[in-house]
């Protein structure tokens, strides 16, 4: 696993001092080659031994080994993003932007795949497949992906309840029973109403699966299962595009796993798609 992905994936389980080191490295990976362990410790106001222990906890021999590995990863990313020699002209800018976006999407998809261990994803697929009812919820942009995924689940023959209105979804909680699953889409996982909705659903015996960024957030911390999305870029508008792209790829994979996990679901999908096609043609 690439070192920066490994740091992001383990950040939530780190101590306060380790999180400070992790955040500094993630924010300044391209500058890390200029920092010795003592300089890094001084910049963060911690002991040098904390930096060394942090490196060893991640599986490296020491800080120099960690720094070298991160330096290689940063250099590799830079070469991939700028392998073509620059030439003047609008056409070249057009091609370079297209290639950089493609490479960034590929990297976000790969990081997202690595951040979601197979065992965790398969456990979530089993939860969804075994659920008597599925409740799907998201607000704003998250609501668009929640609605589309709810439709896919319905095509598999699953009883799915979807709402983009928190009041309507709260009212529907009265129909929740033990074993039901609530899928909550929230990029940052910090909206109080989503956390309240999730806790009430759990109090009724249901299981909550969060779909958020790969960051520490209350929704993810208290969910029974979590799908996480990695999407990082210095430009905010690109980071948002990467999040949407990686999220869609992750949901597509979960859908494919559901089809393979239950042949009856797969057959029902074929029946429903045929019915839809017949409806459109008539």
């Amino acid at each position: 696993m690439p070192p920066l992905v490994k740091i992001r994936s383990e950040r939530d389980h780190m101590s306060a001092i380790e999180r400070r080191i992790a955040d500094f490295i993630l924010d300044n990976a391209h500058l890390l080659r200029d920092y010795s362990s003592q300089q890094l410790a001084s910049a963060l106001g911690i002991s040098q031994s904390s930096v060394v222990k942090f490196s060893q906890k991640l599986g490296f021999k020491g800080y120099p080994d960690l720094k070298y590995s991160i330096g290689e990863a940063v250099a590799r990313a830079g070469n991939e993003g700028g392998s073509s020699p620059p030439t003047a002209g609008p056409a070249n800018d057009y091609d370079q932007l297209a290639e950089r976006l493609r490479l960034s999407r590929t990297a976000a998809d790969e990081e997202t795949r690595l951040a979601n261990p197979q065992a965790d994803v398969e456990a979530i697929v089993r939860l969804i497949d075994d659920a008597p009812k599925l409740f799907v919820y998201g607000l704003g942009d998250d609501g668009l992906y929640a609605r589309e995924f709810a439709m896919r689940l319905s095509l598999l023959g699953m009883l799915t309840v979807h709402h983009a209105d928190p009041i309507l979804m709260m009212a529907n909680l009265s129909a929740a029973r033990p074993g039901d699953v609530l899928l909550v889409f929230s990029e940052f996982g910090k909206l109080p109403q989503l956390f309240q909705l999730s806790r009430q659903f759990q109090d009724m015996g249901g299981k909550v699966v969060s779909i958020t960024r790969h960051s520490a957030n209350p929704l993810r911390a208290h969910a029974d299962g979590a799908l996480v999305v990695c999407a990082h870029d210095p430009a905010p508008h690109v980071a948002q595009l990467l999040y949407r792209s990686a999220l869609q790829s992750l949901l597509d994979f979960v859908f494919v796993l559901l089809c393979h996990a239950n042949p009856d679901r797969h057959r029902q999908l074929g029946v429903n798609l045929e019915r839809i096609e017949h409806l459109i043609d008539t």
Side-chain angles (χ1 to χ4, degrees), residues 151-195:
M151 182 189 71
R152 288 198 198 184
L153 295 175
S154 296
L155 288 173
L156 291 176
M158 299 180 176
L159 179 56
T160 306
V161 180
H162 166 257
H163 281 298
D165 186 315
I167 296 177
L168 290 176
M169 181 56 85
M170 189 69 74
N172 271 285
L173 284 186
S174 60
R177 297 292 182 270
D180 289 346
V181 172
L182 170 64
L183 302 173
V184 188
F185 288 70
S186 177
E187 182 174 353
F188 299 102
K190 295 181 179 179
L191 292 175
Q193 59 265 46
L194 297 182
F195 181 61

Side-chain angles (χ1 to χ4, degrees), residues 14-269:
M14 295 178 180
S15 66
I17 290 179
E18 290 170 343
R19 285 198 298 271
R20 286 172 61 191
I21 300 173
D23 291 341
F24 183 90
I25 291 175
L26 291 173
D27 292 339
N28 302 279
H30 60 295
L31 301 175
L32 199 63
R33 66 180 184 276
D34 299 325
Y35 282 82
S36 66
S37 58
Q38 182 58 60
Q39 289 171 325
L40 178 57
S42 298
L44 294 173
I46 59 177
S47 67
Q48 186 178 10
S49 63
S50 295
V51 176
V52 175
K53 290 177 182 176
F54 173 86
S55 305
Q56 293 173 339
K57 188 174 180 179
L58 288 172
F60 296 93
K61 295 178 181 178
Y63 175 73
D65 190 26
L66 170 63
K67 182 168 72 169
Y68 178 77
S69 180
I70 291 176
E72 276 197 325
V74 171
R76 192 180 306 114
N79 290 334
E80 289 175 352
S83 55
S84 301
T87 57
N92 182 69
D93 291 341
Y94 180 94
D95 293 339
Q96 283 191 348
L97 284 173
E99 181 64 7
R100 286 173 183 169
L101 182 59
R102 184 189 69 80
L103 291 171
S104 295
R105 280 178 167 164
T106 300
D109 285 349
E110 180 64 11
E111 285 193 29
T112 297
R113 184 185 67 81
L114 293 171
N116 292 277
Q118 179 179 343
D120 293 352
V121 175
E122 290 179 339
I124 289 172
V125 168
R126 285 194 298 270
L127 268 181
I128 294 173
D129 188 47
D130 294 339
K133 290 191 300 297
L134 293 165
F135 295 76
V136 186
Y137 184 62
L139 290 173
D141 284 350
D142 294 308
L144 299 177
Y145 290 92
R147 179 178 180 274
E148 195 268 346
F149 194 59
M151 182 189 71
R152 288 198 198 184
L153 295 175
S154 296
L155 288 173
L156 291 176
M158 299 180 176
L159 179 56
T160 306
V161 180
H162 166 257
H163 281 298
D165 186 315
I167 296 177
L168 290 176
M169 181 56 85
M170 189 69 74
N172 271 285
L173 284 186
S174 60
R177 297 292 182 270
D180 289 346
V181 172
L182 170 64
L183 302 173
V184 188
F185 288 70
S186 177
E187 182 174 353
F188 299 102
K190 295 181 179 179
L191 292 175
Q193 59 265 46
L194 297 182
F195 181 61
Q196 181 183 3
L197 187 73
S198 299
R199 292 305 296 267
Q200 290 194 21
F201 193 85
Q202 289 171 322
D203 289 343
M204 302 174 106
K207 301 292 185 181
V208 173
V209 175
S210 65
I211 301 97
T212 70
R213 276 188 177 272
H214 191 199
S215 61
N217 61 76
L219 182 61
R220 177 187 172 193
H222 293 89
D224 299 287
L227 296 172
V228 295
V229 178
C230 297
H232 309 278
D233 194 274
H237 65 288
V238 175
Q240 184 62 35
L241 292 176
L242 296 182
Y243 177 80
R244 294 175 181 176
S245 175
L247 171 60
Q248 189 63 65
S249 295
L250 177 60
L251 295 177
D252 289 346
F253 184 51
V254 171
F255 179 76
V256 170
L257 288 174
L258 283 166
C259 290
H260 282 264
N262 191 329
D264 290 335
R265 303 281 191 205
H266 201 180
R267 282 192 291 271
Q268 187 61 53
L269 173 64

Side-chain angles (χ1 to χ4, degrees), residues 263-279:
D264 290 335
R265 303 281 191 205
H266 201 180
R267 282 192 291 271
Q268 187 61 53
L269 173 64
V271 171
N272 285 333
L273 290 177
E274 186 176 341
R275 289 172 176 169
I276 292 172
E277 183 178 356
H278 178 72
L279 183 64

